[in-house]
Amino acid sequence: MANTSSAKKATRKIARRTDVNKARRSRVRSFLRKVEEAIASGDAKVAQEALRAAQPELMRAAGRGVVHANTASRKVSRLASRVKALSV
């Protein structure tokens, strides 16, 4: 357990940031799930729209440090290629 007042404050801050980051990560996963479901259904138009909504959400999470920037870029790239293959 934290002994000093600064350590106690740091613990409180970490708890707040953890809650915020969990919410952001959950939001990103929801957007990714919508894209995955659209790809699975085979509807190229819906998949394209879902990807268009998910991409800025992923990049925002990367910018805030919730996910690594390379991870976000990799996910967007892989989803985009799958959506593109669906429309061809």
Side-chain angles (χ1 to χ4, degrees), residues 2-24:
N3 290 325
T4 63
S5 59
S6 60
K8 289 176 183 175
K9 179 179 178 181
T11 304
R12 292 193 304 268
K13 285 170 61 176
I14 290 166
R16 283 197 300 267
R17 297 309 310 162
T18 300
D19 290 341
V20 170
N21 287 339
K22 276 184 184 176
R24 285 191 177 132

Side-chain angles (χ1 to χ4, degrees), residues 6 9 12 22 45 48 51 54 64 67-69 75 88:
S6 60
K9 179 179 178 181
R12 292 193 304 268
K22 276 184 184 176
K45 184 105 172 135
Q48 185 68 34
L51 178 63
R64 307 239 188 248
V67 293
H68 196 277
K75 286 183 182 291
V88 172

Side-chain angles (χ1 to χ4, degrees), residues 47-73:
Q48 185 68 34
E49 290 300 317
L51 178 63
R52 204 169 284 145
Q55 185 172 355
E57 203 60 42
L58 253 169
M59 290 307 168
R60 191 171 300 122
R64 307 239 188 248
V66 178
V67 293
H68 196 277
N70 291 357
T71 302
S73 293

